[in-house]
Amino acid sequence: MTLPILAESVRLDDEGVHILDRRIFPFEREWVLCRTSEEVAVAIEEMVTQSSGPYFAALGAMVLAAREASGLADPRAYLERAGKRIIATRKTNNHLRKAVAVVLSEVDKSAGGLIVAASRGARAGDELYRSRSRALGEHAAALVPGGATVLTHCWADLYLVEFVLAARRQGKEFSFLCTETRPYLQGARLTAETLAEMGADTRLITDGMGAAVLSSGEVGALVTAADRVTMDGHVVNKIGTLGLAVAAEAFGVPFYAMVQAPDQAAPTGADVPIEYRDGDEVLRALGHRVASERVRGHYPAFDVTPPRFVTAVVTDRGTFEPGRLREYYAEGEANQ
């Protein structure tokens, strides 16, 4: 089948990097053209792209940086500075670091031209991410019985798409309950729309309804992606995941967190920097202010769920209990 538009929402061509603007999707489908690596960095910071989108945008940004560096006295140093700028745009999720690393690795081992090598690295990073997402989807879908209702939270893009496609290959269909996911309403606009585009039975709930639906007995599993999972089993994800995980544990609903690989650079939850965004973003929804000028906002963009509330972490190499994540690396180091 044709993949949903959000799974193909970043494109690189001779003009630059074209990014589908998720801030206004699905009501409008506009593409933001970034002609420089710095413009891509700003687009990521300003939430033009979210979920898996920044990874693919970062790959494209590194190709733009290679074009910009061509002819400079020290093009490798320029690429490294551009990579650091991209990584700094969203510090909690480590996908940006991986995207930069895969391009720099190809540049360093290649004897060919800089732009050709960077483009080859970007293609390799794209293919690897997609193949690992497919494996991740297969393992996650195997955990959930057919006909189950799945509760999600701020989960769109390839992990979600591959989860649904894998379930169908396994002869299963799921129904979905999606939280709206304030303040950007990603769950309402991105997750629910992607599921509906794929023909899945999809209902939207407000963020405050999660515990109630978990208590009802209707939900078979809480399944989310994870921005990062530490080696001791802490799940770092969109703010609100922690509350859902605690409620799921209280009512006997399994919580499965999907991530391609646990992060060896983060031994514990304390090793993951949590991004705090401008509190003014909490005071608005879809461009409209929802509180008076006398009120200030507070916006931690991610939270950390302790391993005791996590049933299993699903990776591209299989499913692991949170206390056994070191076994992931028994096969050796993962690719980027």
Side-chain angles (χ1 to χ4, degrees):
M1 65 170 286
T2 301
L3 291 178
I5 188 171
L6 288 184
E8 304 283 359
S9 63
V10 177
R11 301 170 183 166
L12 172 68
D13 63 17
D14 290 342
E15 283 188 289
V17 176
H18 302 259
I19 303 175
L20 181 69
D21 193 340
R22 300 190 186 208
R23 298 169 301 182
I24 56 176
F25 181 88
F27 312 110
E28 299 177 49
R29 298 194 175 191
E30 294 185 2
W31 295 78
V32 174
L33 172 58
C34 300
R35 299 183 184 275
T36 67
S37 57
E38 173 60 23
E39 288 180 1
V40 175
V42 172
I44 295 172
E45 287 175 333
E46 295 184 349
M47 303 287 281
V48 173
T49 186
Q50 303 152 27
S51 192
S52 297
Y55 174 85
F56 296 105
L59 292 175
M62 292 304 289
V63 175
L64 297 186
R67 295 175 186 175
E68 295 157 12
S70 183
L72 296 181
D74 192 348
R76 179 60 174 75
Y78 184 93
L79 278 181
E80 187 167 348
R81 288 195 300 272
K84 288 180 178 178
R85 170 73 176 105
I86 290 293
I87 292 169
T89 58
R90 302 297 306 272
K91 63 185 180 181
T92 299
N93 189 305
N94 63 344
H95 282 160
L96 297 176
R97 174 171 54 84
K98 292 182 177 183
V100 169
V102 72
V103 174
L104 290 180
S105 176
E106 186 63 36
V107 167
D108 288 342
K109 71 182 182 183
S110 174
L114 180 69
I115 298 173
V116 171
S119 299
R120 187 164 53 243
R123 286 193 299 272
D126 183 295
E127 293 166 3
L128 180 61
Y129 189 96
R130 293 180 188 277
S131 67
R132 295 182 77 186
S133 295
R134 283 191 293 274
L136 187 60
E138 289 286 346
H139 296 307
L143 296 172
V144 183
T149 295
V150 175
L151 176 63
T152 75
H153 186 62
C154 193
W155 180 35
D157 248 299
L158 285 175
Y159 290 10
L160 175 67
V161 169
E162 295 297 348
F163 175 69
V164 174
L165 293 179
R168 290 173 176 171
R169 288 192 295 270
Q170 295 171 17
K172 301 175 182 178
E173 284 287 345
F174 303 137
S175 296
F176 290 88
L177 285 165
C178 304
T179 55
E180 62 186 352
T181 327
R182 285 274 289 130
Y184 273 91
L185 299 174
Q186 296 105 318
R189 298 183 303 99
L190 309 181
T191 311
E193 179 66 14
T194 295
L195 288 165
E197 188 177 348
M198 297 182 76
D201 178 63
T202 306
R203 288 174 290 163
L204 181 69
I205 62 173
T206 69
D207 287 4
M209 297 178 185
V213 299
L214 286 164
S215 73
S216 70
E218 177 183 1
V219 177
L222 168 63
V223 185
T224 73
D227 285 86
R228 209 183 304 199
V229 174
T230 66
M231 293 306 298
D232 66 349
H234 285 79
V235 171
V236 184
N237 196 44
K238 171 68 180 181
I239 190 73
T241 305
L242 171 59
L244 292 173
V246 171
E249 198 273 340
F251 296 111
V253 177
F255 170 36
Y256 303 122
M258 296 172 64
V259 70
Q260 290 186 4
D263 184 13
Q264 289 184 300
T268 72
D271 297 302
V272 180
I274 299 300
E275 176 184 1
Y276 280 75
R277 296 185 63 83
D278 190 334
D280 281 352
E281 296 179 34
V282 174
L283 303 177
R284 292 173 173 81
L286 301 184
H288 300 284
R289 192 172 177 96
V290 296
S292 79
E293 297 293 340
R294 293 179 292 187
V295 178
R296 293 181 296 123
H298 177 64
Y299 186 7
F302 302 88
D303 57 30
V304 183
T305 300
R308 68 181 180 276
F309 299 115
V310 181
T311 307
V313 176
V314 188
T315 75
D316 67 332
R317 291 181 174 179
T319 301
F320 299 87
E321 294 176 3
R324 304 181 67 174
L325 286 172
R326 295 195 178 279
E327 295 177 12
Y328 176 94
Y329 290 100
E331 301 177 27
E333 294 293 321
N335 292 319
Q336 290 293 336

